[in-house]
Amino acid sequence: MPGNRVVFSCRNLDYSQPLSTQSLRVPQVRIEPMSDDRVREFLEVFSPLHWRELWARQLEVLRSPYFLKLLTEQVEATGEMPEGRAGLFTGFVRQCFRREVEQENALFAPEALVSSRDVRRVTLWRWKTPYELPERGPLIPKLASLAYGMQASRGDGELSQVRVDYDDALDLLDDERDEDIVRAGVALSVLDEDPAADEVMYVHQLVQEYFAGRELARALDPELVRSEWRASEIKPSLDEVVDALVPADPLPGLPQTGWEETALLAAATAAEPETFLQAVAETNLVLAARCAIQPEVMARVTARLLDELRAALVERTENPEADLRHRIACGYALGELGDQRFEMREGPQGEYLMPPLISIPSGKYPIGDDEPIEYSWTGASGTTAAHVPRHEVEIEAFQIGRFPVTNAEWLCFMKAGGYDDDRWWYTEAGQAWRCGELANEGAKANNRSWRRRFVEDPNLFEQMVDEGRLASDEASERWRGWTALDEAAFEAAIDSWWQATRETEPHFWHNARYNHPTQPVVGVCWYEARAYCAWLGAQMGQSVRLPTEVEWEAAARGTEARAYPFGDEFDRLAANTVETHVKRTTPVGVFPSGRTSEGVDDLSGNIYEWTSSLFG
């Protein structure tokens, strides 16, 4: 009916295809993980005895309400801290198993579906490993093979929970006690039945994947997780995918196999995780890295294997034959494992990451151009002559970071107390900003400029919202209110919003769209950038500063005065721009075709960069 709205929800990995068409736009809303405050509040309420210990561990599972519920119930019942998601599900099954044994459920009588030895171990709560279950009888192995068979029945890349006909489930179990196994699975709270449809399913898709993962860990088939990464072999091509997107659509990821989450759980329960990872890496490098990133897996593999994975990820992020979406995924995985391109060193102020540097030779560089530039950017158009006229500037040789400063590098600055050390904030204005005594006048000026554009072109704001150009839904709503204000009220609003406060971290430090280790740090002001340079220079024992505007242009355009760092013709797949549809910053170095001939990455797109002098 008119006015009704239809809302579809799906898992993150389901975004392998765009939802919109050229004629019908489907707005997308991503449900982000729970905030720190919400997680802590949940733990305080549901685990009053152990919430401090849980909070201190900062387990990744704390971001999911489903996992949080399992975790708090398990810890409250046993006092034990599970190891990762696989440990969490293992503990859940153990608890349910003990409950049925203690209640003397006939299905769990010794030598029926479980051995007497397993019953004794469940009663005594004695386990050799964090992932061991009572598997001497057929019950647990058959539940694992059932989950595996159900998952294998899905279509390629399908990620939905599987429901199978009751008789088909019995066929998959292939055991003379098949109906008892189903009843026991229901008693364990892992299986469910739909009598009306005469179907069997696992109570949750993650439970199904956990049991399938146990079978996959026992007998890995690497072909199940094979994922093509070469751009020439992926259909439709990246260009075709981008062409089909409407402005609001983010770039979808590569198609999934449907076994990714299962493999993550399998890696943790595998008897020999190193062998498991090596086999997975042959068919799906990103997935192998994601498996290795799990703390419970990383602790059980050799440093050599981790270094091999890191080296393979670096090579793949810089391989022009790889699809951009694969390079981005490799860049994210590399950040979690530790990027080999940055050397961890010990300086006078503690640890720091030594960035790779590129030498820019001395010489005369053409700067600027003779003609004004016409621009049209999301409805805002005009001309600028700040770069006129073209002229040559003699520049001494210097070195510039190959990549923008990453979040991983900035974290070292924060851990070293960079925001509290007067030495790095060496000007009067810098000291005032650090102490929270300097309002952000630059941001206010930028707000005034955008409000003027929005008032002059009423369609511009909604266009930018549709294209996902604003940082968050919160920012969209804030601007929606600001554009409705008169001049005086708007000035009062931005005075209040940008009032002087003491900052101790980048503005977007906790925003999941921008805070991955290999993404460039964003939300830092000029004073923060200069303080970081001063700190890094002290760590390295040499002078480090922001480049001048002319030096930056020389590094970006070279002696031939390129229109773009990568040449004179624009290429939407050579840089992270609005035309690329990524809708967030990308890991550094994933655009090899956008690299300058001198070897500097990301000088076009991805972020704005600070210089020590003004443009023009």
Side-chain angles (χ1 to χ4, degrees), residues 333 408 462:
E462 294 301 335

Side-chain angles (χ1 to χ4, degrees), residues 10 18 38 100 102 200 204 239 262 288 346 390 394 447 484 510 558:
C10 60
R38 292 295 186 188
E100 297 306 311
E102 291 176 346
V200 175
H204 195 284
D239 270 318
T262 303
E346 187 74 26
R390 180 167 177 162
E394 185 79 34
N447 290 162
H510 297 286

Side-chain angles (χ1 to χ4, degrees), residues 138-165:
L139 177 57
I140 296 300
K142 284 298 181 179
L143 288 175
S145 64
L146 173 62
Y148 186 93
M150 291 170 67
Q151 193 153 323
S153 70
R154 299 185 307 192
D156 289 345
E158 193 176 336
L159 297 161
S160 59
Q161 186 176 2
V162 181
R163 302 165 65 102
V164 297
D165 182 81

